[in-house]
Amino acid sequence: MAETAAAVVPSDHIMGVYNRAPLAFERGEGARCWTAEGEEYLDCMAGIAVNALGHAHPKLVAALTEQAQKIWHVSNVFRIPGQEALAKLICDNTFADEVFFTNSGAEAIELALKVARRYHASKGRPEKIDIIGFDGSFHGRTYAAVNASGNASYLEGFGPRLPGYLQATFGDMDGLAAMMGPNTAAVIIEPVQGEGGARSLPAEDLNRLRALCDEHGALLIYDEIQCGLSRTGKLFAHEYASAAQPDIMCLAKALGGGFPVGACLATAEAGSGMNVGAHGSTWGGNPLAMAVGKASFEELIKPELQAHVREVAGYFTQQLAGLQQRFPDVVVDIRGKGLLIGIKLAANNREFMQLARDERLLVAGGGDNCVRLLPPLTLTLEEAREAVEKLERACEAARRKLAA
Ligand SMILES: *Cc1c(COP(=O)(O)O)cnc(C)c1O
């Protein structure tokens, strides 16, 4: 691979918390990106499910540049019409009555957990603080988020665990039922796990989870930061279990289509403890973010986009099953939902990501030795076919490596 020095040599001045690929992109359009040397890549990770409408979507570019000429930032001490408009649009399309906008997913999670504890405190039950999360889950990197997340290594060296965080086993509903009690404030779950390896919770389990929360007076928090906003072929992944509405839900990633926008949604009841002064953010929901967020959300809620996702996902499911059959020594399992696809590998997933890059295909890593396909939702069937061909060649290369 032709690599420039600038792209290969890691910077001394960047904190070394990422294992970065020796690649830098200069430009993107739709599902393609180009390096400075003009090498073209097919993007099936979309900045980890962020660029859901692809790179440089004309409507997002227009919304951003138009707002950039007017006003970028004011502060939440003023009314922000763009924020009110996007909040209404979100509430019109969800269970929610109110929204707080953030700059990231972790901030939305942080707020969701605060909303839940504050709710019980405001009802005179300040001891009801327990938050139950699941193994294999990922909710972000702030203190509360890593305590709620399922990856113990994210807590290492950062002091003691925060009190009131418990962990259940994803899919073990009886175990969860046994863990819940009068002090359970909330259960937090990704209806389809992302980083944890694209595991999808069956609809009946989500329905049971809702019933368990009701039984114990606990709030149900969905983290749809990755699986939401049409990624699975419905606007939200939890819609596959229609009875299971949450009390609180977090969105981010695709919401800004590449511009940092997150949101914490709540019912009026769940949000009733959040009075003036209970939370805040300098940038959250600023005019620039809201202009892009609204343009993005308007595209993401389109039923024809969801139908397209289901069609492309159906094609992938069929083709990847074939790949698994032809390469049982390389591909161990195919999982996920819609265009949140996990390919569990026999050998090292990081090596496979490099083999895919050798074929000019970008895929994301994932827990449980998976790579994830998280393409733009606008990926065409033709591009999906190209992705499968590239994956097939990467599987052949992986097989040669295993044999060597
Ligand atoms: C990415 C992600 C987060 C964290 O979002 P950040 O914007 O990185 O803080 C939380 N939950 C899920 C499910 C995610 O995929």
Side-chain angles (χ1 to χ4, degrees):
M1 207 192 303
E3 293 157 341
T4 61
V8 196
V9 180
S11 167
D12 291 338
H13 305 297
I14 301 289
M15 203 174 278
V17 297
Y18 271 93
N19 180 12
R20 293 171 193 269
L23 256 182
F25 293 103
E26 189 180 59
R27 191 166 63 83
E29 194 181 316
R32 314 259 169 201
C33 338
W34 291 270
T35 64
E37 298 74 43
E39 288 164 357
E40 181 180 301
Y41 283 76
L42 181 61
D43 184 359
C44 280
M45 67 178 280
I48 315 200
V50 167
N51 307 305
L53 300 171
H55 297 277
H57 189 283
K59 287 198 178 151
L60 301 196
V61 173
L64 181 77
T65 49
E66 196 178 302
Q67 185 63 43
Q69 315 285 329
K70 295 180 185 165
I71 195 161
W72 294 17
H73 180 78
V74 287
S75 161
N76 281 308
V77 305
F78 300 105
R79 289 186 64 172
I80 299 174
Q83 195 180 109
E84 292 171 18
L86 179 54
K88 179 175 182 341
L89 194 58
I90 289 175
C91 291
D92 286 348
N93 283 280
T94 62
F95 72 96
D97 301 308
E98 49 193 63
V99 182
F100 186 91
F101 291 102
T102 65
N103 312 291
S104 68
E107 282 171 86
I109 293 291
E110 199 79 19
L111 176 54
L113 300 171
K114 285 177 74 176
V115 168
R117 283 185 172 175
R118 182 90 167 184
Y119 170 76
H120 298 300
S122 75
K123 299 279 177 190
R125 294 187 302 264
E127 73 291 350
K128 199 169 166 65
I129 62 159
D130 287 352
I131 308 286
I132 304 181
F134 292 87
D135 71 301
S137 68
F138 180 75
H139 300 298
R141 299 294 202 139
T142 58
Y143 269 109
V146 289
N147 274 273
S149 292
N151 191 332
S153 73
Y154 293 166
L155 287 159
E156 256 168 49
F158 297 120
R161 282 194 80 104
L162 295 179
Y165 287 87
L166 290 80
Q167 200 164 100
T169 303
F170 193 76
D172 176 9
M173 296 306 289
D174 292 335
L176 173 69
M179 198 177 276
M180 291 182 75
N183 286 346
T184 307
V187 177
I188 180 166
I189 192 164
E190 302 159 79
V192 180
Q193 288 187 342
E195 312 296 312
R199 289 192 295 170
S200 175
L201 196 73
E204 62 268 25
D205 286 358
L206 272 190
N207 285 326
R208 178 143 180 235
L209 183 53
R210 176 70 267 181
L212 282 169
C213 286
D214 291 343
E215 188 186 317
H216 294 283
L219 299 179
L220 178 55
I221 304 171
Y222 285 157
D223 179 350
E224 292 235 14
I225 289 172
Q226 186 160 151
C227 62
L229 297 171
S230 300
R231 172 67 43 197
T232 65
K234 288 187 188 266
L235 183 53
F236 299 108
H238 72 263
E239 288 174 35
Y240 284 98
S242 58
Q245 295 288 307
D247 301 291
I248 301 170
M249 182 163 77
C250 296
L251 302 176
K253 292 209 161 85
L255 186 54
F259 199 92
V261 187
C264 177
L265 289 56
T267 61
E269 175 66 10
S272 61
M274 300 301 286
N275 52 3
V276 170
H279 196 65
S281 170
T282 297
W283 286 307
N286 85 6
L288 202 51
M290 294 299 95
V292 186
K294 182 159 174 288
S296 174
F297 192 79
E298 281 168 351
E299 292 301 306
L300 292 169
I301 56 175
K302 287 183 175 167
E304 56 269 31
L305 179 69
Q306 288 146 23
H308 175 75
V309 167
R310 292 194 294 272
E311 186 187 5
V312 176
Y315 173 78
F316 269 123
T317 305
Q318 195 184 37
Q319 294 297 312
L320 294 176
L323 215 58
Q324 187 186 354
Q325 261 174 14
R326 288 197 298 287
F327 296 92
D329 48 333
V330 178
V331 176
V332 178
D333 190 24
I334 305 291
R335 54 171 82 145
K337 205 165 197 98
L339 290 178
L340 198 174
I341 302 169
I343 304 175
K344 185 174 157 78
L345 298 156
N348 186 290
N349 61 345
R350 301 244 140 232
E351 279 174 19
F352 190 87
M353 286 165 71
Q354 180 56 52
L355 296 175
R357 285 196 296 271
D358 292 344
E359 300 299 330
R360 303 279 188 264
L361 175 70
L362 304 178
V363 298
D368 201 21
N369 209 35
C370 286
V371 296
R372 276 171 302 159
L373 302 184
L374 300 162
L377 306 183
T378 49
L379 192 83
T380 64
L381 271 176
E382 192 49 50
E383 287 163 339
R385 195 166 301 131
E386 193 184 323
V388 169
E389 285 164 12
K390 288 173 184 293
L391 284 169
E392 172 133 32
R393 287 198 294 273
C395 283
E396 282 163 5
R399 173 174 282 170
R400 281 195 300 275
K401 271 196 124 170
L402 285 171

